[in-house]
Amino acid sequence: MIEASRLQPVELSGWGVRLVPLSPAHVDGLVEASADGDLGALNYTNTPLANVDAVSAYVQAALDGQAAGTMLPFTVLRDDGTVLGSTRYYDIDLSVPTLAIGYTWYRASAQRTHVNTACKRLLLGHAFDTVGMRTVYLHTSHHNLRSQAAIERLGAHRDGVIRQHKRHKDGGLRDTVCYSILDVEWPAMRERLEARLSP
């Protein structure tokens, strides 16, 4: 078991991106990011609709999770301050200790760039190297083939599928595809990710 003080809001940066603690001050930037590609209209993502009310509710729910100790949400920024999207730690269990990385989305213009690789390198490095997590999980919808491919490119282990696990935005049932990374697997994965991020 690790102390809760080891998993507090923090800024992580590198490879041209910054992960900063999610804040209501980011609402306008997140609305703009969601509108880039109309991401909120996708049924199988957690991206909020591109309006102030929806994004404000999204931010508040994440901050409620942070207050409860089950989440640690971030806003993803480019080095110039442009809001690219959001991601978070969730399902935090300090008694094992484990957590999941998810609720991840980026504006369309940042997709298929180095941004996701950089964010995962920062988040995984903090979780394993600084906090001392034993396992990190990643979950996605069975419909989200792009997300599954991105997770598999990281080198995460596909553990299986939880059938009829949650609901999509339209109320339809979602099967959740589950992946994991163990602490003993992290050093080799860290090397691969850094190699991919090298100029």
Side-chain angles (χ1 to χ4, degrees), residues 130-151:
T130 302
V131 180
M133 288 291 160
R134 297 300 304 270
T135 309
V136 171
Y137 298 102
L138 300 104
H139 304 141
T140 191
S141 167
H142 67 290
H143 286 309
N144 197 343
L145 301 180
R146 181 177 290 186
S147 177
Q148 292 174 49
I151 294 169

Side-chain angles (χ1 to χ4, degrees), residues 106-117 144-147 149-150 153 196:
Y106 309 109
R107 61 170 63 228
S109 57
Q111 295 175 15
R112 298 184 180 275
T113 69
H114 77 290
V115 168
N116 185 57
T117 302
N144 197 343
L145 301 180
R146 181 177 290 186
S147 177
R153 279 196 303 273
R196 286 171 55 185

Side-chain angles (χ1 to χ4, degrees), residues 52-125:
V52 170
D53 288 344
V55 173
S56 296
Y58 175 88
V59 169
Q60 188 57 56
L63 294 177
D64 289 346
Q66 178 175 302
T70 60
M71 294 183 176
L72 192 61
F74 298 88
T75 300
V76 181
L77 307 175
R78 209 163 38 213
D79 272 349
D80 65 5
T82 301
V83 175
L84 299 178
S86 185
T87 189
R88 72 185 73 163
Y89 295 139
Y90 70 101
D91 283 355
I92 297 169
D93 185 345
L94 299 179
S95 68
V96 180
T98 63
L99 56 74
I101 294 173
Y103 293 85
T104 302
W105 60 273
Y106 309 109
R107 61 170 63 228
S109 57
Q111 295 175 15
R112 298 184 180 275
T113 69
H114 77 290
V115 168
N116 185 57
T117 302
C119 288
K120 292 301 189 292
R121 167 60 185 86
L122 293 168
L123 290 166
L124 289 166

